[in-house]
């Protein structure tokens, strides 16, 4: 029997203090989870696992506390672009491989090896693209919420504009998902 994950217990383990960072992470994660679960409910034809989507969406940004992003209360040492990779490492150590994959594949609309090379990103030289339907749904849902402005929900156009800063390929993936999940 598979052990059951408790995403809030895991968050509490890495964010023990009830401070601004934890509150921001929880708000953002709940927003992403709610949007992702709405997609799952509206599209049973994709066969997405709602339990997995809920908990993976709650954990997708677990690694932000290790990054240097003071504007969102993160005072770690790593570049923010590595938050997914860092979160994946935390979850892998706990034996949660599928959840770790969501962490490392949700940044932007996924990051390709070509992106890493062209932009000289401080990431391992490999593709970090969402593959499973659950990974894609969470990555897509995440694009509507910013931790810098947690009170806002982006429109499709605003999400595309944010992605466009990093090239056309991510925008194309996002548009494909918009057609799938609309």
């Amino acid at each position: 029997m598979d052990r059951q994950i408790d995403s809030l217990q895991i968050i509490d383990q890495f964010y023990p203090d009830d401070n601004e960072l934890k509150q921001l992470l929880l708000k953002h994660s709940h927003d992403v989870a709610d949007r992702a679960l709405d997609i799952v409910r509206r599209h049973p034809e994709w066969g997405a696992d709602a339990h997995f989507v809920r908990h993976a969406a709650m954990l997708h940004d677990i690694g932000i506390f290790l990054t240097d992003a003071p504007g969102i209360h993160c005072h770690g040492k790593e570049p923010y672009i590595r938050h997914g990779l860092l979160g994946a490492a935390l979850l892998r150590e706990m034996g949660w491989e599928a959840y770790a994959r969501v962490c490392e594949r949700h940044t932007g609309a996924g990051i390709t090896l070509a992106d890493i090379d062209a932009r000289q990103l401080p990431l391992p030289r490999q593709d970090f693209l969402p593959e499973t339907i659950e990974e894609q749904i969470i990555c897509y849902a995440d694009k509507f919420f910013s931790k810098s402005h947690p009170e806002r929900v982006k429109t499709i156009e605003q999400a595309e504009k944010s992605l466009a800063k990093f090239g056309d390929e991510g925008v194309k993936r996002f548009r494909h998902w918009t057609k799938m999940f609309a």
Side-chain angles (χ1 to χ4, degrees), residues 43-114:
H43 292 282
E45 71 274 17
W46 293 111
D49 179 336
H51 174 81
F52 176 82
V53 167
R54 178 175 13 138
H55 291 284
M58 289 302 297
L59 294 171
H60 78 280
D61 275 338
I62 192 81
I64 62 172
F65 74 99
L66 296 167
T67 68
D68 180 25
I72 57 169
H73 315 291
C74 297
H75 303 286
K77 295 185 175 159
E78 295 276 349
Y80 188 77
I81 190 77
R82 292 178 53 83
H83 77 279
L85 201 62
L86 297 164
L90 296 174
L91 294 179
R92 278 194 178 100
E93 285 180 24
M94 300 175 80
W96 298 110
E97 177 62 28
Y99 296 90
R101 287 175 48 90
V102 171
C103 289
E104 70 188 12
R105 296 167 186 269
H106 83 276
T107 304
I111 300 174
T112 65
L113 172 58

Side-chain angles (χ1 to χ4, degrees), residues 127-144:
D127 286 330
F128 292 100
L129 295 171
E131 294 174 352
T132 68
I133 193 66
E134 292 88 356
E135 290 168 3
Q136 293 173 53
I137 289 169
I138 294 165
C139 184
Y140 179 76
D142 183 51
K143 301 300 93 64
F144 292 92

Side-chain angles (χ1 to χ4, degrees), residues 32-42 50-51 53-54 137:
V32 173
D34 288 348
R35 188 170 195 115
L37 287 169
D38 182 58
I39 292 168
V40 170
R41 280 189 290 275
R42 289 186 293 107
H51 174 81
V53 167
R54 178 175 13 138
I137 289 169

